[in-house]
Amino acid sequence: PIAKAYPQNLTSRIRKARQDFQNPDMVFVFGRSAAPQASYKNIADVRQAQESIDLPSYAWVDHDDIPKGADGVHYNTRGQVRAGNLFADAATVLLNKLK
């Protein structure tokens, strides 16, 4: 399944973006997917892949406790703000390591 190819595809995408932008230190922060297992049968594979990427200037942030809207998948306003703060915090840590 596509989920099994996720680690290789994500790694390739990050490398390609860094190459395209001629920035080998480009920071990438991913929100570990928090989609419901009942609706997304391969989500455990995707989550594990997001956690396992071994590239410099890469981090993932935990989205399990971020508030969601009525559909149970997309974040509500509070959730979007929380996710943004998590991304900013993780990116700041990675960028400070580059100094």
Side-chain angles (χ1 to χ4, degrees):
I2 293 173
K4 294 292 184 189
Y6 194 98
Q8 181 178 344
N9 290 342
L10 180 54
T11 299
S12 294
R13 180 64 195 115
I14 291 169
R15 287 183 174 145
K16 179 74 169 124
R18 289 174 174 168
Q19 178 184 352
D20 289 350
F21 287 99
Q22 299 176 6
N23 184 350
D25 298 320
M26 182 183 288
V27 167
F28 280 85
V29 179
F30 276 71
R32 187 181 63 182
S33 182
Q37 178 92 27
S39 301
Y40 300 90
K41 66 179 182 168
N42 295 316
I43 198 63
D45 292 328
V46 170
R47 287 168 55 95
Q48 199 286 322
Q50 291 168 331
E51 294 172 20
S52 70
I53 300 303
D54 186 23
L55 291 174
S57 299
Y58 171 86
W60 63 272
V61 292
D62 187 355
H63 279 195
D64 288 354
D65 295 328
I66 293 180
K68 294 184 179 71
D71 67 1
V73 176
H74 298 96
Y75 304 127
N76 62 21
T77 301
R78 283 184 44 233
Q80 290 177 21
V81 170
R82 177 73 180 126
N85 287 331
L86 289 170
F87 284 124
D89 290 347
T92 298
V93 168
L94 292 173
L95 289 167
N96 283 334
K97 288 180 182 179
L98 296 175
K99 290 182 178 180

